[in-house]
C-alpha cells in the first residue's frame, strides 16, 4: 500500500511538473501572439476570452509571475483551456473531447495487443534460443528503426486505394454521423485497421527484444534449474517460473515505451488523417494555435500518467515484494 | 580503451568469461580491443555507420545536382539522370538525400552527446552521492522519463519558430536523457560499494576523482550503448519534426523530403521514389546503430548472443536441444533405440 501511495504521489508531482512546463512554454513565444490574433479575429472575441488568452500566454502585464500562475491553475480547474483558433470559436476542451476517444481506442487497443504479442514471442525467443523466433529479431529491428509515419505512408501506398478494402484516410466514411449503430461502427473499425497495423508492427519489436533478453537472463537462474529438477513439464517451467519473473522488468519498462508509442501514434494519425489528437495537433501547428497545442500536450501527458499508474497496479499484483508492508 | 571488467562481472555474476584481470599483458590488451569489432553484428553496424558519416561529410560535394534547383523534369521516376527520380519542382531526390545526410547525422550525434553528458552527470551523481541528492535527482529523472517526449518536442520547436539544426539538437538532447540517467544510476549504485571504490575512498581520493577515474571507466559500455540508443531516438525525432514541418525548411534533411512528398500528394501521383529512399535511409541508419548496440550488449553480457545451432542430431536420429545449465550426455550404445537418452545434470531427461 505504501508503494502504491508513493506512486500516486509521484504521478501527481509529474502532472504538476507537466502543467508548470505547459505554463512556461508559451512565455517563450516572442512578441505578442494574442494581439495578432485579436487583429485577425477582429470583433469576434469577447472581452472574457481575450482575458483568458492573456492568462494562458502570460501576457497579463499588470500581474506578477506568481499571480499569473495562480490564475492559470484556476482556469485549468474550470476546464478552460482557452479558445481554439483553428476551429474558432470552439473551446479547446471541446475540440480535444472530440478527438480523444479516437486516440484512446486506437492506442489503447494496439498497445495491449502489441504488448501481449511481443511478450509472447519474446518468451519463445528467449526460451528456445536459436529457433525460428530468433530469426525474427533482425526483421523486427529493421521495423523498429523505421519511423512510424513512414511505415504508414508505405502501408497506404501498398494497401490502400480507391478500389482497396482499406480506406486511406479519415476515421469513418464521410456521410456517416458518429453514433453507436451498425453503419458507423464497422466503418470506424475498417478505417482503424491500417493505422493499428502500422503501430503494431513498429512497436512490437521492442517488447520482443526486451522480453527475450530477460528470458535469457532468467532461464539460467538456480530456481529454473530446480524447477527442471523437480521434473515439472517444460511448459510450466517456461511460463510459471521463467516468464513470470522475466515479465516484471518489461512491465516497468512500460513507462518509457508508452511515451514513445504515443509520440509515434500521433504521427501515424497525421499520415492517415485519423481524427485523433495527433491530427488535431497537426492542424493546430499549421495555424500556430498555441492553446490547442498546449491542451493536446496536457491531455496526452495526463493519459500517459494514468496508463503508467495502471501498469504500476499490474506490477503490484504480479510482484509480491511490493506488497510487503513497511 | 579498456574493457569495463567490473560491469561485465556485474551483469553476469560468476560467468566472467570475458572478464580478465585489469593488469593485462599488452598482447592481451590488443586482443581485447578487437574483440568488440570481431562481433559480427557490431562490425556490420560500424561499417554501415562509417558510410553514413562519409556521406555526411562529402555528400554535398558529390551530389550531382543542387538539391533545391528546379528543372523541367517534374515528378519523374528513377532514371540514369536522376537516380531517385525528381520532385514536383523537378528537384533531384538523390541529391536531396545526399545533402540531407549531414543535417541528420549532425543533429543525431549532437543530441546524443548532449543527452549522454546530461545522463552521466545526473545518473552517476545520483547513484554515487545517494541520500537527499539521489532522491531529488531520481524524481527529476523519472518525471522527464514519464512525460511523453515527442509531443513536448513538437510544442517547444513550434514555439521556437523555424529552429535551426543546433537548436533542434538541443531540444531533443534536453528531453531524451532520462532513460540513460536511470540506467547509469542503477549501475553506479551497484559499483559504489565495490572494494576498489571503497579502497580509493579510504585512501582519501576526492569524490570527483573517484567518479571520473574509478567509476566512469567501468561504466563505458553502459554509456556507449546509451549514446547509440539516444542517437537513434534523436534521428527519428528530428525526422519527425521535419516531417510535420515545425523546423526550418531552409536546409535539407530526410524529414524535409518526406514533408514535401506528403504535402505534394506523392502518394496520389504514385511517386514512390519520392518517399521510399528517405525512409530506407533512415531504416538502414537505425538498423546499423541498433546492431552496434546489440554488439555492445552481447559484448558485455555474452549470454545474450543468439546461439548458433542449439539443436543437435544424435547418431540415432533423435534431436537434443542445448540449454544453459544442462549438459547432455548421449549414450553411445550401438543398439538402435527410438529415443536418444540424454543424461542431463542434475536431472535425467528424455530428448524429444
Amino acid at each position: 500500500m505504501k508503494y502504491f501511495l508513493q506512486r500516486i504521489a509521484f504521478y501527481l508531482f509529474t502532472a504538476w511538473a507537466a502543467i508548470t512546463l505547459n505554463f512556461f512554454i508559451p512565455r517563450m513565444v516572442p512578441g505578442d501572439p494574442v494581439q495578432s490574433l485579436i487583429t485577425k479575429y477582429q470583433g469576434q472575441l469577447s472581452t472574457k476570452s481575450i482575458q483568458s488568452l492573456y492568462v494562458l500566454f502570460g501576457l497579463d502585464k499588470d500581474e506578477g509571475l506568481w499571480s499569473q500562475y495562480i490564475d492559470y491553475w484556476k482556469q485549468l480547474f474550470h476546464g478552460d483551456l482557452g479558445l481554439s483558433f483553428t476551429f474558432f470559436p470552439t473551446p479547446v476542451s471541446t475540440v480535444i473531447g472530440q478527438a480523444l476517444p479516437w486516440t484512446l481506442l486506437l492506442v489503447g487497443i494496439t498497445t495491449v495487443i502489441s504488448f501481449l504479442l511481443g511478450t509472447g514471442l519474446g518468451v519463445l525467443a528467449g526460451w528456445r534460443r536459436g529457433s525460428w523466433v530468433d530469426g525474427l529479431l533482425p526483421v523486427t529491428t529493421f521495423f523498429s528503426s523505421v519511423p512510424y509515419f513512414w511505415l504508414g505512408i508505405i502501408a497506404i501506398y501498398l494497401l490502400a486505394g480507391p478500389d482497396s478494402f482499406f480506406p486511406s484516410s479519415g476515421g469513418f466514411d464521410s456521410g456517416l454521423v458518429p453514433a453507436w449503430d451498425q453503419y458507423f461502427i464497422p466503418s470506424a473499425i475498417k478505417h482503424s485497421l491500417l493505422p493499428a497495423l502500422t503501430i503494431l508492427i513498429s512497436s512490437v519489436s521492442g517488447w520482443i527484444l526486451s522480453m527475450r533478453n530477460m528470458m535469457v537472463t532468467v532461464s539460467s537462474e538456480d530456481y529454473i534449474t530446480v524447477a527442471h529438477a523437480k521434473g515439472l513439464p517444460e511448459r510450466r517451467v517456461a511460463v510459471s517460473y521463467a516468464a513470470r519473473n522475466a515479465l516484471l522488468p518489461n512491465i516497468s519498462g512500460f513507462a518509457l515505451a508508452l511515451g514513445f508509442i504515443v509520440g509515434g501514434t500521433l504521427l501515424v494519425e497525421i499520415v492517415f488523417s485519423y481524427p485523433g489528437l495527433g491530427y488535431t495537433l497537426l492542424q493546430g501547428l499549421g495555424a500556430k494555435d498555441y492553446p490547442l497545442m498546449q491542451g493536446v500536450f496536457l491531455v496526452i501527458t495526463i493519459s500517459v500518467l494514468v496508463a503508467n499508474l495502471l501498469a504500476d497496479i499490474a506490477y503490484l499484483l504480479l510482484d509480491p515484494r511490493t506488497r510487503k508492508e513497511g | 580503451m579498456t574493457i569495463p571488467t567490473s560491469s561485465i562481472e556485474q551483469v553476469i555474476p560468476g560467468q566472467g568469461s570475458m572478464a580478465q584481470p585489469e593488469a593485462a599483458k599488452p598482447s592481451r590488451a590488443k586482443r581485447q580491443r578487437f574483440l568488440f569489432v570481431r562481433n559480427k553484428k557490431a562490425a556490420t553496424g560500424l561499417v554501415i555507420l562509417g558510410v553514413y558519416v562519409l556521406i555526411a561529410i562529402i555528400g554535398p560535394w558529390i551530389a550531382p545536382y543542387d538539391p533545391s534547383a528546379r528543372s523541367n523534369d517534374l515528378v519523374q521516376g528513377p532514371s540514369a539522370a536522376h537516380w531517385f527520380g525528381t520532385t514536383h519542382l523537378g528537384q533531384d531526390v538523390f541529391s536531396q538525400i545526399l545533402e540531407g545526410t549531414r543535417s541528420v547525422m549532425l543533429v543525431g550525434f549532437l543530441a546524443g552527446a548532449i543527452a549522454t553528458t546530461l545522463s552521466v552527470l545526473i545518473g552517476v551523481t545520483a547513484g554515487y552521492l545517494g541520500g537527499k541528492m539521489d532522491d531529488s535527482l531520481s524524481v527529476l529523472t523519472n518525471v522527464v522519463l514519464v512525460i511523453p517526449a515527442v509531443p513536448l518536442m513538437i510544442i517547444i520547436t513550434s514555439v521556437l519558430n523555424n529552429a535551426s539544426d543546433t537548436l533542434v539538437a538541443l531540444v531533443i538532447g534536453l528531453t531524451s536523457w532520462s532513460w540513460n540517467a536511470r540506467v547509469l544510476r542503477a549501475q553506479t549504485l551497484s559499483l559504489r560499494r565495490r572494494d576498489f571504490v571503497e579502497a580509493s575512498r579510504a585512501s582519501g581520493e576526492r569524490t570527483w576523482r573517484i567518479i571520473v577515474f574509478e567509476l566512469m571507466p567501468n561504466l563505458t559500455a553502459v554509456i556507449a550503448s546509451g549514446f547509440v540508443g539516444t542517437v537513434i531516438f534523436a534521428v527519428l525525432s528530428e525526422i519527425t519534426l521535419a516531417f510535420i514541418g515545425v523546423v526550418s525548411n531552409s536546409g535539407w534533411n530526410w524529414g524535409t523530403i518526406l514533408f514535401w512528398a506528403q504535402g505534394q500528394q506523392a502518394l496520389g501521383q504514385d511517386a514512390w521514389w519520392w518517399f521510399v529512399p528517405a525512409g530506407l535511409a533512415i531504416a538502414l541508419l537505425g538498423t546499423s546503430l541498433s546492431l552496434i548496440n546489440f554488439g555492445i550488449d552481447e559484448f558485455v553480457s555474452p549470454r545474450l548472443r543468439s546461439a548458433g545451432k542449439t539443436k543437435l542430431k544424435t547418431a540415432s536420429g533423435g534431436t537434443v536441444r542445448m540449454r544453459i545449465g544442462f549438459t547432455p550426455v548421449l549414450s553411445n550404445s550401438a543398439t538402435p533405440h527410438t529415443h536418444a537418452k540424454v543424461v542431463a545434470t542434475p536431472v535425467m531427461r528424455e530428448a524429444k
Side-chain angles (χ1 to χ4, degrees):
Chain A
M1 203 57 210
K2 190 183 165 211
Y3 170 81
F4 188 58
L5 289 177
Q6 267 174 356
R7 295 312 292 170
I8 288 188
F10 168 71
Y11 289 124
L12 285 178
F13 180 75
T14 311
W16 168 78
I19 291 169
T20 308
L21 203 63
N22 221 350
F23 168 76
F24 279 109
I25 289 174
R27 279 157 183 74
M28 306 188 321
V29 185
D32 186 341
V34 180
Q35 198 53 54
S36 64
L37 286 164
I38 294 171
T39 9
K40 194 172 162 195
Y41 296 103
Q42 215 156 19
Q44 294 181 52
L45 287 165
S46 67
T47 330
K48 191 167 165 279
S49 48
I50 291 178
Q51 180 58 31
S52 125
L53 284 176
Y54 270 112
V55 172
L56 270 177
F57 282 97
L59 295 166
D60 225 349
K61 293 285 183 318
D62 314 332
E63 292 189 65
L65 201 61
W66 179 247
S67 56
Q68 284 180 25
Y69 188 59
I70 303 275
D71 283 351
Y72 179 73
W73 269 100
K74 270 190 205 150
Q75 218 167 298
L76 274 190
F77 275 119
H78 286 102
D80 179 5
L81 296 167
L83 289 184
S84 163
F85 306 139
T86 333
F87 305 96
F88 191 80
T90 322
V92 169
S93 42
T94 317
V95 177
I96 291 178
Q98 281 162 359
L100 188 62
W102 293 97
T103 302
L104 277 188
L105 281 178
L106 183 67
V107 183
I109 294 175
T110 42
T111 307
V112 170
I113 295 178
S114 148
F115 180 77
L116 294 179
L117 191 70
T119 309
L121 284 175
V123 168
L124 277 180
W127 192 245
R128 307 204 152 159
R129 280 202 299 164
S131 68
W132 61 272
V133 190
D134 255 9
L136 277 181
L137 289 179
V139 183
T140 53
T141 310
F142 177 82
F143 276 122
S144 67
S145 325
V146 184
Y148 284 32
F149 63 85
W150 187 73
L151 215 56
I153 297 179
I154 297 295
I156 295 177
Y157 182 69
L158 293 179
L159 299 175
D163 319 317
S164 154
F165 170 76
F166 296 111
S168 64
S169 71
F172 49 90
D173 283 330
S174 52
L176 287 178
V177 183
W180 295 104
D181 57 25
Q182 74 272 36
Y183 304 110
F184 180 72
I185 293 173
S187 167
I189 292 178
K190 203 165 110 181
H191 278 77
S192 68
L193 280 179
L194 267 193
L197 200 66
T198 311
I199 302 170
L200 195 65
I201 290 179
S202 313
S203 61
V204 80
S205 66
W207 301 120
I208 297 184
L209 197 71
S210 64
M211 194 60 194
R212 171 189 179 268
N213 286 355
M214 273 320 293
M215 277 299 280
V216 171
T217 314
V218 164
S219 59
S220 53
E221 294 282 350
D222 288 344
Y223 57 78
I224 300 295
T225 315
V226 171
H228 276 302
K230 285 197 288 189
L232 292 175
E234 175 104 359
R235 175 188 292 264
R236 176 130 189 239
V237 181
V239 175
S240 315
Y241 286 71
R244 193 174 170 179
N245 283 290
L247 192 61
L248 291 175
N250 229 18
I251 288 182
S252 54
F254 198 73
L256 178 81
L258 196 67
F260 196 71
I261 292 173
V262 167
T265 314
L266 297 182
L267 269 294
V268 171
E269 285 182 2
I270 291 174
V271 169
F272 284 94
S273 309
Y274 198 76
L277 286 176
Y279 191 54
T280 311
L281 181 64
L282 181 78
Q283 289 168 314
L285 282 175
K288 294 267 169 216
D289 186 348
Y290 294 112
L292 184 59
M293 281 151 56
Q294 276 182 281
V296 169
F297 173 68
L298 204 63
V299 170
I300 291 173
T301 309
I302 290 175
S303 321
V304 168
L305 291 185
V306 171
N308 268 299
L309 189 65
L310 293 179
D312 274 344
I313 294 175
Y315 196 95
L316 202 67
L317 295 176
L318 285 171
D319 188 356
R321 278 173 298 184
T322 53
R323 282 197 292 265
K324 204 170 62 182
E325 287 293 329
Chain B
M1 204 181 109
T2 50
I3 291 184
T5 337
S6 312
S7 72
I8 290 168
E9 283 167 357
Q10 201 278 322
V11 178
I12 21 154
Q15 239 205 323
S17 60
M18 312 275 291
Q20 298 189 351
E22 300 259 4
K25 290 184 205 98
S27 64
R28 186 174 277 183
K30 198 170 177 185
R31 222 190 72 205
Q32 286 179 350
R33 195 173 306 145
F34 291 108
L35 214 57
F36 176 61
V37 185
R38 267 221 310 269
N39 181 314
K40 248 190 234 151
K41 287 179 184 166
T44 319
L46 282 173
V47 168
I48 301 174
L49 186 65
V51 173
Y52 273 102
V53 171
L54 190 70
I55 294 177
I57 297 169
I58 63 168
W61 298 323
I62 59 167
Y65 299 89
D66 176 351
S68 309
R70 304 173 181 204
S71 72
N72 291 325
D73 305 332
L74 306 180
V75 203
Q76 299 277 311
S79 63
H82 300 283
W83 287 5
F84 292 169
T86 57
T87 70
H88 64 298
L89 296 174
Q91 296 155 329
D92 185 47
V93 177
F94 183 56
S95 304
Q96 294 181 345
I97 299 263
L98 287 180
E99 176 109 4
T101 312
R102 183 176 286 182
S103 152
V104 172
M105 299 295 277
L106 182 76
V107 172
F109 279 90
L110 193 59
I114 295 171
T116 308
T117 315
L118 275 175
S119 64
V120 170
L121 280 178
I122 293 174
V124 177
T125 316
Y128 185 74
L129 294 182
K132 282 260 161 23
M133 192 74 170
D134 181 19
D135 288 345
S136 44
L137 286 178
S138 291
V139 169
L140 177 70
T141 311
N142 287 333
V143 166
V144 179
L145 189 67
V146 174
I147 294 178
V150 173
L152 183 62
M153 267 183 240
I154 293 177
I155 287 174
I156 297 181
T157 17
S158 103
V159 164
L160 291 174
N161 256 334
N162 287 331
S164 65
D165 277 356
T166 331
L167 212 53
V168 171
L170 192 68
V171 172
I172 297 175
L174 286 178
T175 45
S176 57
W177 53 269
S178 50
W179 179 253
N180 295 332
R182 198 161 126 152
V183 174
L184 279 171
R185 174 181 167 270
Q187 279 290 333
T188 312
L189 272 180
S190 77
L191 279 177
R192 63 187 275 229
R193 289 291 156 214
R194 296 291 180 85
D195 287 346
F196 69 97
V197 179
E198 294 281 12
S200 39
R201 202 172 326 174
S203 63
E205 273 190 40
R206 304 235 173 97
T207 308
W208 68 266
R209 215 194 128 78
I210 297 178
I211 290 180
V212 176
F213 290 100
E214 308 291 346
L215 291 178
M216 295 279 279
N218 289 301
L219 293 169
T220 319
V222 184
I223 296 173
S225 108
F227 174 72
V228 175
T230 317
V231 173
I232 302 179
F233 180 73
V235 166
L236 287 180
S237 305
E238 189 213 1
I239 287 162
T240 303
L241 292 175
F243 172 68
I244 55 174
V246 285
V247 298
S248 155
N249 275 335
S250 56
W252 283 102
N253 74 49
W254 303 334
T256 328
I257 300 173
L258 293 172
F259 169 76
W260 287 112
Q262 172 83 357
Q264 298 300 322
Q265 309 294 331
L267 279 171
Q269 306 181 39
D270 255 5
W272 56 268
W273 58 86
W274 201 343
F275 51 83
V276 168
L280 289 182
I282 303 163
L284 195 60
L285 176 61
T287 310
S288 80
L289 290 167
S290 301
L291 284 176
I292 295 176
N293 240 353
F294 289 159
I296 298 175
D297 280 353
E298 290 178 5
F299 178 65
V300 173
S301 163
R303 260 192 294 181
L304 295 179
R305 286 174 199 168
S306 39
K309 257 183 99 175
T310 50
K311 263 189 188 169
L312 293 182
K313 275 250 187 300
T314 60
S316 52
T319 51
V320 179
R321 194 186 298 280
M322 309 286 279
R323 206 174 45 230
I324 291 171
F326 285 80
T327 319
V329 179
L330 303 170
S331 59
N332 268 336
S333 70
T335 48
H337 39 226
T338 46
H339 296 291
K341 251 199 180 154
V342 181
V343 184
T345 45
V347 68
M348 274 261 277
R349 288 177 68 82
E350 295 264 87
K352 282 180 211 121

